Amino acid sequence: MSLRSGDWRERIDDVDAALIDEYQSDFPVRERPFEAVGEELGISDTEALERVERLREAGVFRRFGAVLNPPVIGSSTLAAVSASEDRFETVAEIINEYRQVNHNYARDHEWNMWFVVTAGSREKRDEILADIESRTGCAVLTLPMLTDYYIDLEFPVVNGDRFARESIEGTDASATRISEDATADFSALDRRLLLAIQEGFPLTATPYRDIAAAVDADVTDVLAAIERLRDDGCIKRIGCVVNHITTGFDNNCMVVWDLPDERLDELGQRVGELPYVTLCYHRPRRPEQNWSYNLFTMIHGRDADAVDAKIDELATEYLPFDHDRLYSTETLKQTGARYDDIVGEKSD
């Protein structure tokens, strides 16, 4: 099955399409969730599970489970280095060694390597950044998120859209301040749960029972804790995590904007409501490192020209300010955020 060529869409039926586009979030939190999914789709729980397994094996799904929220659980930051061409691979290998580095992309810019560091505490995060700077000999541009206007990579993929969410009318966006310190108050069970589910749920008929066994807890307590972590914002959503690159949305551009500080919330929320803007957030300027931008937006698309057209629209109709376009040229690392070091922190 060739995903990039689009052959995968010819090999799925309406039930598969519903699983792909309608179950990226709000997956039932109950002991046998596939029973509820099967009832909704008119199939058995066994068939629902088998279909999800098959779609994961085909690469349509990256994993099944919870999408965690790094800035709430731990301390997270976007960072970048400017690596010379002759040392680029070496620098990437060093950065990718860290389990706390969960994304790393090459981008067409002077700052040509962009990665995310997520750790259980701000101190650990900064220790890793300092170590990367020392080992690579490259100055690190550190850009923690300060305000979230809109962040969600949940969008339909079984369609002919040129860019992500083309068929969606709008998005709810609001300014949410983000702390650089972990803000959640975890119980001992919460910590064990986060460690157990950070790479996904078991793909079985009884995933929550299996998680309960792994953390030595009653399944009723695990279900309640999962609901609580979702309500508190530690879990953003629960469902099938789609591989947007292999399902065709492999053109993306991070656009950075130099906006008037006094208009940042006004413009950030306005742009975050646009359906084709998949990410929109405020990060600090770093004038001492010649970085003057304070708003970041992302646009994902199947067609590079369509992505460029939407950026042009942003720049003319919504954000007529200086900006720079950082196109992704290579995925150097892509995993879920790791929270191993929270286990060593104080728990009840």
Side-chain angles (χ1 to χ4, degrees), residues 146-343:
L146 302 180
T147 308
D148 164 3
Y149 297 110
Y150 182 77
I151 299 177
D152 196 352
L153 284 179
E154 175 188 359
F155 51 79
V157 298
V158 186
N159 51 43
D161 289 358
R162 297 161 300 161
F163 48 86
R165 297 150 46 86
E166 182 175 9
S167 55
I168 296 175
E169 293 185 1
T171 298
D172 291 330
S174 60
T176 302
R177 308 303 177 202
I178 305 296
S179 171
E180 290 191 63
D181 299 304
T183 58
D185 183 17
F186 296 124
S187 69
L189 174 57
D190 292 339
R191 294 176 188 278
R192 297 198 306 273
L193 266 177
L194 290 169
L195 184 62
I197 68 175
Q198 62 185 343
E199 293 183 343
F201 290 177
L203 195 43
T204 66
T206 56
Y208 297 105
R209 187 193 303 167
D210 297 337
I211 293 168
V215 300
D216 192 24
D218 186 86
V219 66
T220 302
D221 293 335
V222 165
L223 290 168
I226 292 286
E227 292 273 24
R228 183 177 64 254
L229 288 167
R230 186 168 61 179
D231 291 344
D232 291 345
C234 297
I235 292 176
K236 297 187 69 172
R237 56 186 168 94
I238 297 172
C240 300
V241 180
V242 169
N243 189 329
H244 301 108
I245 293 176
T246 55
T247 51
F249 290 95
D250 51 356
N251 289 280
N252 74 78
C253 187
M254 180 173 76
V255 190
V256 293
W257 309 82
D258 181 3
L259 304 187
D261 291 333
E262 67 274 11
R263 298 191 63 193
L264 190 55
D265 281 353
E266 169 207 344
L267 295 169
Q269 290 181 161
R270 183 185 182 195
V271 169
E273 292 173 351
L274 298 172
Y276 58 84
V277 174
T278 49
L279 304 172
C280 183
Y281 38 74
H282 165 213
R283 297 185 186 274
R285 306 178 194 272
R286 300 294 190 203
E288 71 279 8
Q289 293 179 282
N290 198 31
W291 185 262
S292 60
Y293 306 106
N294 58 353
L295 186 76
F296 287 62
T297 57
M298 285 285 294
I299 297 175
H300 291 72
R302 288 195 171 100
D303 182 81
D305 291 339
V307 171
D308 279 334
K310 301 314 286 186
I311 298 172
D312 291 341
E313 179 181 317
L314 266 183
T316 55
E317 298 185 21
Y318 299 94
L319 298 175
F321 302 97
D322 288 341
H323 68 279
D324 207 349
R325 307 182 186 200
L326 287 73
Y327 295 90
S328 175
T329 58
E330 183 181 359
T331 299
L332 304 172
K333 183 177 183 180
Q334 185 179 39
T335 66
R338 302 288 309 188
Y339 302 96
D340 302 57
D341 49 338
I342 70 169
V343 176

Side-chain angles (χ1 to χ4, degrees), residues 9-229:
R9 280 184 287 176
E10 300 173 4
R11 302 192 182 197
I12 63 172
D13 58 18
D14 290 345
V15 174
D16 284 338
L19 281 169
I20 295 167
D21 280 355
E22 298 175 22
Y23 289 90
Q24 296 179 35
S25 63
D26 297 326
F27 216 85
V29 181
R30 50 187 277 185
E31 190 168 348
R32 301 185 71 90
F34 288 96
E35 282 188 347
V37 172
E39 290 172 5
E40 293 170 358
L41 296 177
I43 58 177
S44 69
D45 57 332
T46 300
E47 183 179 349
L49 173 60
E50 289 175 347
R51 284 175 177 263
V52 172
E53 289 176 328
R54 176 171 51 78
L55 289 167
R56 187 183 67 172
E57 290 171 0
V60 176
F61 295 146
R62 288 200 292 116
R63 59 188 176 86
F64 162 68
V67 175
L68 304 182
N69 195 355
V72 176
I73 297 173
S75 183
S76 181
T77 188
L78 179 66
V81 297
S82 180
S84 61
E85 184 178 349
D86 62 320
R87 296 193 64 241
F88 191 88
E89 290 186 8
T90 299
V91 171
E93 288 174 1
I94 292 172
I95 291 173
N96 290 346
E97 284 178 13
Y98 295 87
R99 288 169 63 80
Q100 294 89 346
V101 171
N102 50 292
H103 289 84
N104 191 4
Y105 298 98
R107 294 193 178 275
D108 186 12
H109 192 266
E110 176 186 356
W111 295 97
N112 56 1
M113 192 180 303
W114 290 77
F115 55 98
V116 176
V117 176
T118 301
S121 67
R122 184 173 180 175
E123 292 74 19
K124 181 62 175 177
R125 184 203 73 183
D126 291 347
E127 176 187 321
I128 292 167
L129 291 169
D131 201 42
I132 287 174
E133 195 165 67
S134 174
R135 292 181 61 197
T136 63
C138 297
V140 175
L141 179 66
T142 303
L143 300 168
M145 188 187 307
L146 302 180
T147 308
D148 164 3
Y149 297 110
Y150 182 77
I151 299 177
D152 196 352
L153 284 179
E154 175 188 359
F155 51 79
V157 298
V158 186
N159 51 43
D161 289 358
R162 297 161 300 161
F163 48 86
R165 297 150 46 86
E166 182 175 9
S167 55
I168 296 175
E169 293 185 1
T171 298
D172 291 330
S174 60
T176 302
R177 308 303 177 202
I178 305 296
S179 171
E180 290 191 63
D181 299 304
T183 58
D185 183 17
F186 296 124
S187 69
L189 174 57
D190 292 339
R191 294 176 188 278
R192 297 198 306 273
L193 266 177
L194 290 169
L195 184 62
I197 68 175
Q198 62 185 343
E199 293 183 343
F201 290 177
L203 195 43
T204 66
T206 56
Y208 297 105
R209 187 193 303 167
D210 297 337
I211 293 168
V215 300
D216 192 24
D218 186 86
V219 66
T220 302
D221 293 335
V222 165
L223 290 168
I226 292 286
E227 292 273 24
R228 183 177 64 254
L229 288 167

